[in-house]
């Protein structure tokens, strides 16, 4: 059974940094593209970043230059480094896995999802 567990969320001030981690189990991690999505209160879930099986990175325009996605196949983990955080980054952040996927920006392409971790940026 595939399991994705996010961690690293919390409360941070504007301009601060956080690193989210997503630990995957029950799958052959290297076969999956991985993505990060987020959902703010009363808003739809939106794409943040994705990384392909070969390490190609895709980042949403709203976080480009501030957020970086990476993966460690030896640890079955994907990371989201978030710098220069803003109040509008406040959301629940979800990790997702897409078997043999390219690293899609579309959430319906992802087969498996974590439960999310809360990120709150205070002004």
């Amino acid at each position: 059974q595939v399991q994705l567990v996010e961690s690293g969320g919390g409360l941070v001030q504007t301009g601060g940094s956080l690193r989210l981690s997503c630990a995957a189990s029950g799958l052959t991690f290297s076969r999956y593209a991985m993505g990060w999505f987020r959902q703010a209160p009363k808003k739809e879930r939106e794409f943040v970043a994705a990384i392909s099986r070969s390490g190609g990175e895709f980042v949403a325009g709203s976080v480009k230059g501030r957020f970086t996605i990476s993966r460690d196949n030896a640890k079955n983990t994907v990371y989201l480094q978030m710098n220069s955080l803003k109040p509008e980054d406040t959301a629940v952040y979800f990790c997702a896995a897409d078997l043999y996927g390219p690293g899609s920006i579309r959430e319906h392409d992802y087969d498996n999802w974590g439960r999310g971790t809360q990120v709150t940026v205070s002004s």
Side-chain angles (χ1 to χ4, degrees):
Q1 182 179 356
V2 175
Q3 189 172 15
L4 303 175
V5 179
E6 302 94 337
S7 62
L11 175 64
V12 64
Q13 291 186 333
T14 296
S17 297
L18 284 173
R19 188 175 82 154
L20 304 185
S21 300
C22 172
S25 60
L27 51 68
T28 303
F29 188 70
S30 60
R31 296 178 181 175
Y32 286 76
M34 301 298 295
W36 285 98
F37 292 77
R38 67 186 182 186
Q39 187 167 20
K42 301 182 181 179
K43 291 191 176 180
E44 305 238 332
R45 190 156 55 185
E46 65 174 0
F47 170 77
V48 177
I51 187 164
S52 70
R53 288 171 288 143
S54 61
E57 302 167 30
F58 311 88
V59 180
S62 59
V63 303
K64 194 170 186 178
R66 300 188 297 122
F67 290 13
T68 303
I69 187 171
S70 61
R71 65 188 296 158
D72 185 337
N73 287 351
K75 295 183 178 180
N76 285 8
T77 301
V78 62
Y79 304 97
L80 185 68
Q81 178 66 44
M82 306 187 296
N83 299 326
S84 301
L85 283 161
K86 305 175 181 180
E88 51 263 44
D89 295 318
T90 295
V92 177
Y93 283 72
F94 298 90
C95 169
D98 180 14
L99 179 62
Y100 294 123
S104 174
I105 66 172
R106 302 179 303 183
E107 63 176 284
H108 71 258
D109 286 336
Y110 289 83
D111 312 301
N112 300 281
W113 291 82
R115 294 188 175 185
T117 185
Q118 176 70 47
V119 171
T120 303
V121 185
S122 64
S123 56

